[in-house]
């Protein structure tokens, strides 16, 4: 009788453990979708910022190229005029103007190089973020497509386990079941654990020698004095398994 009760409690715990995992999956699956959606939005926002910056840089680069081209035209005209200058005063004035234009153009050329380099960097960033977005969108579509299937399968399995749990609870004496449920409400799984070589596998602490002796007798279900979980001597279950194997053989 004792061993049968232990076996049923272990079965009940296995059922509860699977139900806990499935319930967590049902709760977390929509959260996973929400997390992927947020990642998509975040990456898309980054990409939009990059594209906005890229648009500004492209406009500035175009403006610089236009200004540089206009200055080249002005310099050509100034050089042509220098050939027609009638006195040194006008000549010197035109030389100064051309020097100013050349300095301005050198500065603009340097600025153009800097803008072109930044455009290249932002173009690379845009491409990488676009690839990330596509990958995340594909993951999201796959997750969304499989969500209903996952939830349906989990719900079906939970229903099956609920029936198995009802059956298991029906064959366990109410006082023992009440102790199991009481401990389960206060401690995380596992609720019932084996004792091997006098050590509780739930808290990994040795139980008192007298308690271990009582446990080995297999007359009543005991609790670990340290973690309060239900305990059983592992040899009892092993002996039962060997007996069942012998009967099957």
């Amino acid at each position: 009788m004792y061993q049968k009760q232990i076996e049923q409690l272990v079965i009940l715990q296995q059922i509860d453990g699977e139900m806990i995992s499935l319930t967590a999956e049902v709760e977390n699956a929509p959260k996973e979708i929400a997390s992927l959606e947020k990642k998509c939005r975040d990456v898309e926002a980054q990409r939009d910022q990059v594209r906005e910056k890229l648009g500004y840089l492209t406009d500035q680069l175009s403006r610089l190229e236009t200004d540089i081209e206009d200055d080249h035209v002005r310099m050509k005209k100034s050089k042509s005029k220098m050939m027609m200058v009638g006195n040194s005063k006008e000549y010197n004035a035109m030389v100064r103007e051309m020097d100013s234009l050349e300095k301005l153009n050198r500065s603009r050329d340097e600025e153009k190089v800097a803008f072109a380099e930044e455009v290249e960097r932002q173009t690379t960033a845009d491409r990488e973020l676009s690839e990330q977005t596509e990958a995340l969108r594909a993951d999201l579509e796959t997750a969304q497509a499989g969500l209903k299937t996952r939830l349906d399968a989990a719900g079906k399995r939970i229903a099956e386990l609920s029936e198995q749990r009802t059956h298991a609870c029906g064959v366990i004496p109410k006082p023992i079941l009440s102790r199991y449920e009481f401990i389960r409400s206060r401690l995380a799984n596992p609720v019932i654990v084996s004792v091997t070589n006098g050590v509780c596998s739930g808290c990994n602490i040795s139980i008192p020698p007298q308690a271990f002796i009582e446990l080995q007798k297999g007359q009543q279900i005991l609790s670990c004095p340290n973690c309060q979980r239900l305990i059983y001597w592992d040899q009892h279950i092993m002996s039962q398994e060997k007996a069942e194997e012998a009967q099957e053989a």
Side-chain angles (χ1 to χ4, degrees):
M1 180 63 71
Y2 166 81
Q3 287 186 339
K4 288 296 182 183
Q5 291 174 357
I6 291 293
E7 289 171 5
Q8 289 301 319
L9 284 170
V10 171
I11 291 171
L12 179 59
Q13 178 166 268
Q14 291 171 347
I15 292 171
D16 285 340
E18 187 175 353
M19 289 182 70
I20 289 170
S21 297
L22 288 170
T23 301
E25 182 180 354
V26 169
E27 292 175 351
N28 291 330
K31 294 178 183 177
E32 292 171 8
I33 299 293
S35 177
L36 276 173
E37 289 175 339
K38 184 178 184 304
K39 284 181 181 178
C40 283
R41 290 195 299 271
D42 290 344
V43 173
E44 286 175 345
Q46 292 178 41
R47 185 194 60 189
D48 291 343
Q49 290 177 355
V50 166
R51 287 183 175 179
E52 184 178 351
K53 186 175 183 180
L54 189 56
Y56 168 77
L57 291 169
T58 302
D59 290 343
Q60 291 299 102
L61 187 59
S62 178
R63 179 186 61 78
L64 275 172
E65 289 173 344
T66 300
D67 290 345
I68 290 170
E69 183 61 30
D70 289 345
D71 287 343
H72 279 301
V73 172
R74 287 174 60 190
M75 287 184 68
K76 285 181 181 179
K77 289 181 179 179
S78 295
K79 286 180 180 179
S80 298
K81 288 181 181 179
M82 285 181 68
M83 304 300 295
M84 303 169 61
V85 171
N87 55 62
S88 58
K89 184 177 180 181
E90 289 181 1
Y91 180 83
N92 290 333
M94 294 194 69
V95 168
R96 287 194 297 273
E97 181 182 357
M98 290 183 67
D99 285 343
S100 296
L101 283 173
E102 287 178 353
K103 289 179 181 178
L104 180 59
N105 267 356
R106 283 196 296 272
S107 174
R108 283 175 172 165
D109 282 334
E110 292 173 358
E111 193 175 0
K112 177 184 174 181
V113 170
F115 270 112
E117 290 176 349
E118 187 61 22
V119 165
E120 184 176 354
R121 281 193 292 270
Q122 295 301 321
T123 299
T124 299
D126 178 41
R127 182 174 61 254
E128 291 175 350
L129 288 169
S130 295
E131 290 172 356
Q132 287 183 39
T133 299
E134 290 178 6
L136 284 169
R137 281 291 175 193
D139 290 344
L140 179 59
E141 288 176 6
T142 300
Q144 288 173 330
L147 178 61
K148 186 177 185 304
T149 302
R150 285 174 62 191
L151 293 180
D152 288 346
K156 182 179 179 181
R157 182 56 181 161
I158 288 173
E160 293 173 353
L161 290 169
S162 294
E163 291 183 5
Q164 294 176 22
R165 191 179 198 281
T166 299
H167 175 73
C169 290
V171 298
I172 298 173
K174 289 186 178 180
I176 297 173
L177 181 61
S178 296
R179 284 175 61 190
Y180 173 87
E181 297 289 13
F182 177 80
I183 296 169
R184 181 170 174 263
S185 67
R186 285 160 175 74
L187 295 175
N189 264 11
V191 175
I192 179 167
V193 296
S194 63
V195 172
T196 304
N197 297 323
V199 178
C200 170
S201 61
C203 59
N204 295 317
I205 296 176
S206 296
I207 65 174
Q210 187 58 42
F212 187 39
I213 291 172
E214 291 297 321
L215 185 67
Q216 289 174 307
K217 291 179 181 179
Q219 296 177 349
Q220 59 180 323
I221 296 176
L222 303 176
S223 296
C224 172
N226 301 299
C227 66
Q228 305 307 315
R229 289 180 171 88
L230 299 178
I231 54 177
Y232 62 91
W233 188 31
D234 62 343
Q235 295 300 315
H236 285 152
I237 296 299
M238 289 181 182
S239 298
Q240 181 64 24
E241 290 175 349
K242 288 179 181 179
E244 290 176 355
E245 289 175 1
Q247 288 178 357
E248 291 176 358

